[in-house]
Amino acid sequence: MDGAMTLLHRRLTKDELNHLIAGSPIEPTRLNDAHRSSLSTRFRAVSVPGHRRLDAWSVERAGRSGDEFRWSPSTARRALGNASLRRMALQPLSIRDAVRDELGDQMLRAVSGYSRSGSLSHWLASAPHPVIGVVTAEAVNWATQLHEIAQWLETPWTIPTSDAYYDVATARTTLRARRDLVVRNDDSRIVLRVRSGSPGKSAGPGLRADLTIEALADHDGVAPARFIGLWPEAGVCLSVDGTMTDLRSGARDLVHTAVAQRRRGNVIAA
């Protein structure tokens, strides 16, 4: 064992959040080629006929399939809200104006033929005006909430241009970790993820999965010093540390989720 697994539970306040960031471990943990190869071998042992995609939500649901993804005001708000805040970092804009500019650019991309079928741009371009109004309101609310959290932070932060993705070599598996804010603290990084509602009993394994994927996606395999999940509606934040124990636990949960998915697929096929 490399030490006990970490899962810290705190109230979501400015002081508590900055304390979690300032108190994160100093020494970074690094995944090497042997770790990546081992994970790839374990996923190859859980073969699937097509391509497999796993994330924290998959782990939290123990591999149970949910409704097929489709664009809606609630599923579009995060992508639009985060992109709008990145605009605000480059030019002086209100949140509402930034959201409207982002919506305009997304729809222009579709009209110009630069978006693929099924993309957010493609869906927005075909949505009726009332739906666009709801999308705008949802995106403004999301951006406002994330902006308020960002303003609490006492250390430099950025909004990533995308989530973290990692393709497991020769295993037809893609892993995805959500990330909404990245904070730099000395030589380490802390990743923050925002979720709606309140955390369930499986929120800890979900955060560890995100932590592991974030480390795998890093070019040098360096794990975040701490991965923090925020649930503003519940006023709660949870965090896990980038220790080797938590990284291994996250990898095991991802593989177990793949096994659970395959078993359910076999039952359906039978």
Side-chain angles (χ1 to χ4, degrees):
M1 293 290 289
D2 299 299
M5 289 185 289
T6 58
L7 180 61
L8 300 178
H9 182 288
R10 298 287 187 272
R11 291 186 302 113
L12 179 52
T13 66
K14 177 180 178 179
D15 289 343
E16 290 286 3
L17 182 55
N18 282 297
H19 179 73
L20 280 175
I21 292 170
S24 60
I26 297 175
E27 291 296 327
T29 303
R30 189 185 304 268
L31 297 179
N32 57 32
D33 290 342
H35 293 126
R36 296 178 189 273
S37 177
S38 174
L39 183 65
S40 178
T41 299
R42 294 171 71 184
F43 271 116
R44 284 201 305 273
V46 190
S47 59
V48 289
H51 195 87
R52 173 172 48 207
R53 294 175 177 83
L54 300 174
D55 58 12
W57 183 240
S58 307
V59 171
E60 291 173 24
R61 291 178 56 83
R64 294 188 300 273
S65 60
D67 296 333
E68 184 178 353
F69 177 83
R70 63 184 181 86
W71 288 112
S72 68
S74 60
T75 56
R77 63 184 179 181
R78 176 174 175 263
L80 292 170
N82 287 11
S84 299
L85 290 185
R86 287 195 295 273
R87 284 177 176 272
M88 292 173 59
L90 298 175
Q91 54 185 312
L93 290 170
S94 69
I95 290 178
R96 185 169 295 276
D97 286 344
V99 168
R100 286 174 175 166
D101 286 354
E102 180 62 27
L103 274 168
D105 279 0
Q106 290 278 353
M107 288 187 275
L108 180 61
R109 195 174 304 156
V111 173
S112 303
Y114 289 104
S115 67
R116 56 181 172 79
S117 178
S119 66
L120 175 58
S121 297
H122 190 269
W123 175 73
L124 288 170
S126 60
H129 288 297
V131 172
I132 295 298
V134 179
V135 169
T136 302
E138 289 277 4
V140 167
N141 288 340
W142 177 274
T144 300
Q145 174 181 261
L146 187 59
H147 187 255
E148 290 175 350
I149 292 170
Q151 296 308 300
W152 284 357
L153 303 178
E154 297 170 354
T155 44
W157 56 269
T158 58
I159 297 179
T161 56
S162 70
D163 288 330
Y165 289 89
Y166 180 72
D167 288 321
V168 183
T170 69
R172 292 189 291 184
T173 300
T174 298
L175 307 177
R176 168 181 173 251
R178 286 176 57 147
R179 51 185 181 182
D180 296 304
L181 289 165
V182 175
V183 176
R184 297 289 173 180
N185 190 12
D186 295 327
D187 294 328
S188 62
R189 74 185 188 282
I190 297 93
V191 181
L192 281 66
R193 181 199 74 187
V194 179
R195 288 273 290 269
S196 301
S198 58
K201 294 180 179 179
S202 57
L207 278 178
R208 282 191 290 267
D210 274 335
L211 169 77
T212 302
I213 298 167
E214 172 74 24
L216 289 165
D218 183 78
H219 181 267
D220 297 317
V222 178
R226 183 163 280 173
F227 203 107
I228 304 175
L230 311 177
W231 285 262
E233 294 170 12
V236 170
C237 58
L238 303 176
S239 74
V240 293
D241 290 349
T243 63
M244 186 57 73
T245 297
D246 279 338
L247 290 167
R248 287 173 173 164
S249 179
R252 282 194 299 269
D253 287 340
L254 287 163
V255 173
H256 291 164
T257 300
V259 172
Q261 282 186 344
R262 188 179 67 173
R263 286 175 178 168
R264 289 190 171 89
N266 289 343
V267 169
I268 292 172

